[in-house]
């Protein structure tokens, strides 16, 4: 059998490159029948610096994501769950995204203690101090996000939460579960690295790694803005989504994740959100 010559391979590469470019344009039109797997984009509030840009990218690719909300400081001088952000959150809710709690004060669960947890808020009351929370206070820290969100959007949170930095303790997890919240981490390959220093982790490297390594079932994690990163990763979500779609991976919210789809909003969560309106 005659082996293909070098010219054949150059022609083949050119053909693949052309097909890839076309695939990027048509990726958003891929039907469910064409999906070879599902991935789950999640976005934590962060600084909110790129919130509008990221929303536009999601709309362009017809991707629904899961947002984890905390009341974090923004470059506008306000906080991400202030009334000044009501229009942003209402628009995202109308687009069909899912929403979970990221704690009200974006605090770190430091350690368990008898009858509760040690907690260090980043913003708001007691910012920078380590305080004690009872299980009821843990629930309030999560539910307060839902109260503000319901006031802005007319709907409650999904029964999901994510601890800032992913740092949890057994007592914090138990308290959150008792008041109806399931904790969500992310896949190793799904850590998109937008909070890493851009001189050591340039966008090109992070993008190539993510498109190569993300697999069916992975939960992805990024932020709506990072204060410290000099070269923002947010614009890379555009080629990232296109590249994953080209590989046949379709995007879903965590409401459709097999591990969380049974987490219907419990009556006690819906009631607490309604009470805050």
């Amino acid at each position: 059998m005659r082996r293909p010559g070098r010219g054949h391979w150059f022609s083949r590469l050119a053909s693949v490159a052309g097909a890839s470019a076309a695939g990027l344009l048509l990726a958003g039109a891929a039907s469910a029948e064409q999906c070879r797997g599902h991935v789950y984009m999640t976005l934590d509030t962060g600084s909110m610096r790129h919130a509008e840009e990221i929303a536009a990218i999601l709309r362009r690719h017809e991707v629904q994501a899961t947002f984890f909300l905390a009341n974090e400081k923004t470059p506008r001088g306000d906080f991400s769950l202030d009334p000044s952000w009501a229009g942003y959150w209402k628009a995202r809710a109308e687009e069909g995204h899912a929403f979970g709690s990221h704690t009200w004060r974006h605090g770190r669960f430091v350690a368990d203690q008898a009858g509760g947890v040690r907690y260090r808020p980043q913003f708001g009351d007691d910012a920078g101090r380590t305080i004690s929370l009872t299980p009821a206070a843990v629930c309030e820290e999560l539910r307060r996000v839902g109260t503000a969100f319901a006031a802005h959007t007319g709907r409650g949170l999904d029964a999901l939460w994510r601890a800032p930095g992913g740092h949890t303790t057994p007592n914090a997890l138990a308290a959150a579960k008792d008041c109806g919240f399931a904790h969500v981490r992310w896949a190793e390959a799904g850590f998109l690295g937008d909070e890493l220093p851009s001189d050591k982790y340039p966008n090109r490297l992070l993008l190539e790694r993510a498109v190569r390594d993300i697999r069916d079932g992975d939960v992805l994690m990024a932020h709506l803005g990072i204060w410290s990163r000099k070269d923002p990763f947010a614009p890379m979500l555009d080629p990232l989504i296109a590249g994953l779609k080209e590989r046949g991976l379709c995007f879903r919210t965590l409401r459709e994740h097999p591990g969380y789809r049974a987490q219907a909003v419990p009556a006690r969560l819906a009631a607490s959100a309604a009470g805050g309106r």
Side-chain angles (χ1 to χ4, degrees):
M1 180 177 178
R2 183 180 177 185
R3 296 180 62 187
R6 186 176 180 182
H8 168 85
W9 292 117
F10 281 130
S11 298
R12 176 62 179 156
L13 286 170
S15 175
V16 170
S20 296
L24 292 177
L25 294 174
L26 298 174
S31 67
E33 291 74 18
Q34 294 172 303
C35 293
R36 293 196 290 271
H38 298 93
V39 293
Y40 306 86
M41 177 69 75
T42 69
L43 296 158
D44 298 351
T45 39
S47 73
M48 301 290 289
R49 184 183 299 274
H50 304 288
E52 293 289 358
E53 178 181 7
I54 290 173
I57 290 171
L58 297 176
R59 283 195 303 272
R60 184 157 57 249
H61 290 279
E62 298 182 338
V63 164
Q64 291 179 329
T66 302
F67 292 79
F68 285 96
L69 282 57
N71 195 35
E72 301 192 54
K73 185 178 179 180
T74 85
R76 303 192 324 196
D78 57 5
F79 288 81
S80 53
L81 288 170
D82 280 351
S84 51
W85 284 94
Y88 180 83
W89 295 122
K90 190 173 189 300
R92 304 294 77 76
E94 291 172 348
E95 290 166 351
H97 300 286
F99 303 89
S101 180
H102 197 37
T103 74
W104 178 253
R105 292 172 287 181
H106 197 258
R108 181 185 178 104
F109 290 94
V110 178
D112 284 341
Q113 63 180 22
V117 296
R118 302 285 287 167
Y119 181 68
R120 186 181 300 120
Q122 183 178 1
F123 302 106
D125 296 342
D126 298 308
R129 296 178 53 229
T130 300
I131 60 175
S132 297
L133 295 183
T134 64
V138 171
C139 286
E140 176 59 23
E141 183 73 12
L142 300 179
R143 286 173 169 165
R144 192 173 174 185
V145 173
T147 299
F149 184 71
H152 298 333
T153 67
R155 59 148 288 180
L157 296 177
D158 297 286
L160 305 166
W161 79 290
R162 170 177 288 155
H167 300 294
T168 62
T169 71
N171 284 1
L173 290 171
K177 182 178 180 180
D178 189 58
C179 55
F181 290 92
H183 189 256
V184 179
R185 284 193 57 83
W186 52 85
E188 182 177 356
F191 176 72
L192 298 181
D194 64 334
E195 59 198 272
L196 299 174
S198 54
D199 56 339
K200 295 182 180 179
Y201 300 91
N203 285 338
R204 175 189 54 78
L205 174 67
L206 295 177
L207 175 63
E208 290 175 356
R209 184 172 66 185
V211 172
R212 180 191 69 217
D213 294 346
I214 287 170
R215 296 290 183 266
D216 175 32
D218 281 352
V219 175
L220 285 55
M221 190 276 288
H223 300 77
L224 297 176
I226 291 292
W227 291 96
S228 59
R229 188 172 173 89
K230 293 181 179 179
D231 186 13
F233 182 78
M236 297 299 101
L237 291 178
D238 196 345
L240 171 64
I241 291 171
L244 293 177
K245 281 189 171 185
E246 188 182 12
R247 287 180 47 206
L249 295 173
C250 297
F251 287 79
R252 299 288 184 265
T253 72
L254 288 174
R255 287 193 297 258
E256 301 161 278
H257 189 289
Y260 301 106
R261 68 165 63 109
Q263 288 289 128
V265 178
R268 56 187 177 278
L269 281 184
S272 67
R277 286 183 231 169

